[in-house]
Structure formats: C-alpha cells, structure tokens
Amino acid sequence: MPSAAPDSTATSILTATPCLPSRPCRQPALSRTLTLLFAIAAGISVANVYYAQPLLDALAADFGIATAAVGMVISATQVGSTLALLLLVPLGDLLSRRRLMLWQAAALAVFLLAVTASGSVWMLLAGMLAVGMLGTAMTQGLISYAAALAPPQERGALLGTVQAGVVIGLLLARLVAGLLADVGGWRLVYLCSAAMIAATAIGLARMLPPAPAAAPSMRYGQLLRSMAGLLLRERVLQVRGVLALLMFAAFNIFWSALVLPLSAPPHAMSHGAIGAFGLVGVIGVLGAARAGRWADRGLARYATGGALLLLLLSWLPLVFADTSLWALVAGILLLDLGGQMIHVTNQSLILRAQPQAHSRMVGCYMMFYAVGSGGGALAATHMYAYAGWGGVCVLGAAVSLAALLWWVLTLRLMPRD
C-alpha cells in the first residue's frame, strides 16, 4: 500500500532520510511521537476486548449465568471481532484511514456506554459483540495504518513497537478491570473505558497523518470478495493464519479460565489481585519488539521455532498454578513471551506481500485469531467445569503441541526468510 506523502499535516511526524550519493533516498521514517501514538491508541482499543476476562464471575452472579456458560460473554466479544475483520477492517484499503479511525472511536464510546447500562443477558451480549467489533476494527486498523506508513526495511521493528502497545493494553485491561470492579463494580470498568476512548479520539484527530486509500476504484462488495482470493492464493497467510489460530486458542484457554480457580478457595482473590497477574506478562512486550527486529533481519523462522517451544513448555509450571503462585508467574512469563513473539513474526511476514492490501491481509490473518480466541475461551470454561484446572492445562498443552507440529510440517511450504 502506498505511503502517504508528507504534507503540512505530516511533516512534523514523518522524518525523511536525506538523499546522498552514498545513500539512496528511502521512504520517510515515522517519528517516535507518531509511533508512540499508534502504540498507545492500539493498546487502549484492544483493552476493550479483554476487560471481561477477570469479570466473568461478577457477570455470572449479576446476570445469573451458569459457570459452564459464562464463557459466552468472551465468545460474544470474539464473534464481534470476527465480524470486524470481515466487514470493517478491510475498509482501510478503500476509505480514508484517518476518518475511519475517528468514526470507529466515536461509535465504540457509544457502545461502551450501552454495555454499562445493560439490564439483561441479551443486552450485555449484544453490547459485547459491538464492543468486540469496534475495538478490534480500531486496533487492526491502526496496525495496518502504521505498516502502510513505515519503510519496508523498518516495518518489522515498527510492528513490534505497536504490538508492544497492544500487549500492554491487554495486560493492563485485566488489572484495571479488576481494580475498578473492586471499587465500583463491573459497570464502572466500561464507563471509564468510554471516557478513555473519547480522549484517544481527540489525540488521533490532532496527530494522525493522511494515508490515502489503496484501492479507491473498488466497490465495497468487490473489496470483501477479494479477501477470499487472498486466503486462497497467499501461502504465507494460510500457514501463518493456522499457526495464529492455534496459538491464540492456547492463549485464551489459559486467560479465560484463570479467574475461576483464583477467585475460589483457597486463594479467594479479589478481581484486582487476579488482574495483576496479567502484568507478569509484560515480558511479552520485550519479546514482541525483539521478534520484529529479527524478522527484519531474516531470522523469522528461528524466532518462531523458539517461541513455539516456549508456548508448549509454559504449561508445565501452569499445571501447578492452583497450588503455587510462583509456578503461575513462571508459566505466564513463558506463555506471553512465546505468544507475542509468534504474533509479531506472523504479522511481519504476512505484510511483506500485497502492500496494496495491508488492511485486507491483516483482516484475513486476524480472522484466524478471532476463531482461535473465541473457541479457546468457550472450551476453557467448559473444560474447567468438567475436569478442573488440570483439564484446562492438558487442553492448552495439546493445542500448543498442535501448533508446534503444524509449524514443523509446513516449513517446506514457506519461503526462506
């Protein structure tokens, strides 16, 4: 996708590399300020998809939802995410990205207020579906926006930085949701989120540079149909998409079920304490940033293999999490580090192809993520209801092993880094 040319709006945030006889002209690099804006805005947007995870027991009590079925709250959010990837994220290749981001931020704030006012299970699920749609659309739209502006030789590092913002957002989401729920109940969480999104929209309106649409001649229906072609033609998208599905399924098997054993005796932790465990995964930020740089240097294959081994090994300490908090901390470190390294490496490889279709490529890739996340959340709560925490860990390890085997079996199908 062509990058926006620097103009009066963008000159202060796009830094050009001087043209010298010994160094050819390169695409302007993004300033640190603009890179930080993308990371912060993406983190605030994605947090809305994860606020409910440490609140499942409170939502179950408030709306009378059975333990085995409360995972449907997370699944509703993930269904919304899937719809966003199909219907909203591709619009970045057709419309003004800047205007699209601002409209989506406004709509997200409105639906967060609707969730706050929910009076029935069906209102709650409908609101969660809308929040999942708009939170996902904003997050992935910002990622493809940043990728379109970045020089190709720096794209992996930039995606690592933006993904670090996403990681921090989802980790803080669990902590902030738990703390606010302890103070004022789960409704306060979504009320405060609406205020943060409104503030984010103001920042985006002031600082985002223009990024022209890549395919203005396409109609919306053609745009959506072209995504099926990308899924059928792009081998990297197919292989890395399945890897993402399995990795995010394992990720959400853990995080969706964690609140259930920690909120019950003997731990009986508060929502704030449970959410604080998410901060242990901040090491994933370092892994995400490093994986992006490795991908830029042609080391994506080695980074992926190492990350998949970490993902599988994480379940060894996690199986003891209901009796040892130290084991839980060690497992979270391994799980988040491996998962974020895989995710950034996937994005770096996928966005090397079809530069005029960044939004659609991101949308297609993240559909695998949404299916894996929603399926993992639903499977986790059912498994916990029938087999306890040990069953959850066996399920997570099996899915992680499947991801490792898939990577090994498809190595010959992937181009060399």
Side-chain angles (χ1 to χ4, degrees):
M1 176 181 307
S3 172
D7 60 9
S8 59
T9 306
T11 50
S12 63
I13 47 184
L14 295 175
T15 306
T17 301
C19 302
L20 301 173
S22 60
R23 181 173 57 195
C25 297
R26 298 194 307 170
Q27 183 175 342
L30 270 71
S31 71
R32 292 182 179 179
T33 301
L34 184 56
T35 301
L36 185 61
L37 172 66
F38 276 117
I40 292 173
I44 291 174
S45 301
V46 78
N48 293 284
V49 184
Y50 293 92
Y51 282 136
Q53 285 186 345
L55 307 176
L56 288 182
D57 59 333
L59 292 170
D62 201 2
F63 290 94
I65 306 172
T67 299
V70 73
M72 68 182 178
V73 175
I74 306 296
S75 295
T77 309
Q78 298 302 333
V79 169
S81 295
T82 304
L83 292 175
L85 298 170
L86 285 169
L87 304 176
L88 299 182
V89 173
L91 288 171
D93 290 336
L94 186 63
L95 305 176
S96 163
R97 282 197 172 94
R98 186 177 184 278
R99 186 176 302 170
L100 189 61
M101 290 297 99
L102 297 180
W103 276 107
Q104 288 175 349
L108 179 55
V110 170
F111 280 105
L112 285 166
L113 293 175
V115 169
T116 303
S118 296
S120 69
V121 173
W122 296 112
M123 287 181 63
L124 175 69
L125 294 177
M128 290 294 185
L129 186 144
V131 166
M133 284 186 68
L134 292 160
T136 298
M138 278 196 67
T139 304
Q140 301 309 319
L142 288 163
I143 289 172
S144 59
Y145 200 154
L149 294 172
Q153 68 277 5
E154 300 174 10
R155 186 169 292 136
L158 174 67
L159 288 173
T161 300
V162 177
Q163 184 61 28
V166 173
V167 174
I168 292 173
L170 69 89
L171 294 179
L172 288 179
R174 300 180 183 110
L175 174 61
V176 170
L179 292 174
L180 289 176
D182 287 341
V183 172
W186 68 266
R187 296 179 193 272
L188 181 62
V189 176
Y190 292 95
L191 182 62
C192 291
S193 181
M196 285 194 294
I197 288 294
T200 301
I202 295 172
L204 294 175
R206 291 176 60 88
M207 294 184 63
L208 279 182
S217 61
M218 275 192 178
R219 295 180 183 272
Y220 182 58
Q222 293 175 315
L223 188 77
L224 298 185
R225 287 193 295 273
S226 71
M227 295 177 71
L230 292 173
L231 285 168
L232 292 173
R233 293 192 309 268
E234 294 293 332
R235 181 63 58 83
V236 174
L237 178 60
Q238 295 166 356
V239 171
R240 289 284 168 163
V242 173
L243 191 61
L245 186 154
L246 294 170
M247 183 271 289
F248 278 109
F251 212 65
N252 275 269
I253 285 169
F254 170 74
W255 284 111
S256 296
L258 181 62
V259 65
L260 300 175
L262 293 188
S263 62
H267 298 300
M269 292 184 178
S270 67
H271 294 108
I274 294 171
F277 278 100
L279 292 180
V280 176
V282 75
I283 194 69
V285 173
L286 305 178
R290 179 60 60 185
R293 295 188 183 94
W294 285 339
D296 287 337
R297 293 166 52 193
L299 301 174
R301 176 173 298 198
Y302 301 102
T304 303
L308 285 167
L309 288 174
L310 290 178
L311 191 72
L312 180 60
L313 290 173
S314 69
W315 296 99
L316 289 176
L318 288 177
V319 76
F320 302 103
D322 58 346
T323 57
S324 170
L325 296 182
W326 287 112
L328 175 60
V329 168
I332 291 174
L333 285 172
L334 295 175
L335 185 76
D336 273 13
L337 179 59
Q340 296 307 325
M341 287 177 64
I342 295 167
H343 187 38
V344 171
T345 305
N346 284 350
Q347 290 178 316
S348 298
L349 294 177
I350 287 167
L351 290 176
R352 289 179 184 175
Q354 300 287 341
Q356 76 282 4
H358 276 164
S359 292
R360 282 167 286 166
M361 291 289 281
V362 168
C364 289
Y365 168 71
M366 293 303 292
M367 279 191 287
F368 290 98
Y369 147 83
V371 172
S373 295
L378 195 59
T381 52
H382 276 81
M383 180 62 78
Y384 185 82
Y386 292 108
W389 181 250
V392 169
C393 291
V394 169
L395 177 63
V399 173
S400 301
L401 178 60
L404 179 60
L405 293 176
W406 171 259
W407 175 73
V408 171
L409 293 173
T410 56
L411 274 176
R412 61 183 179 81
L413 302 178
M414 295 290 291
R416 300 294 297 182
D417 298 337

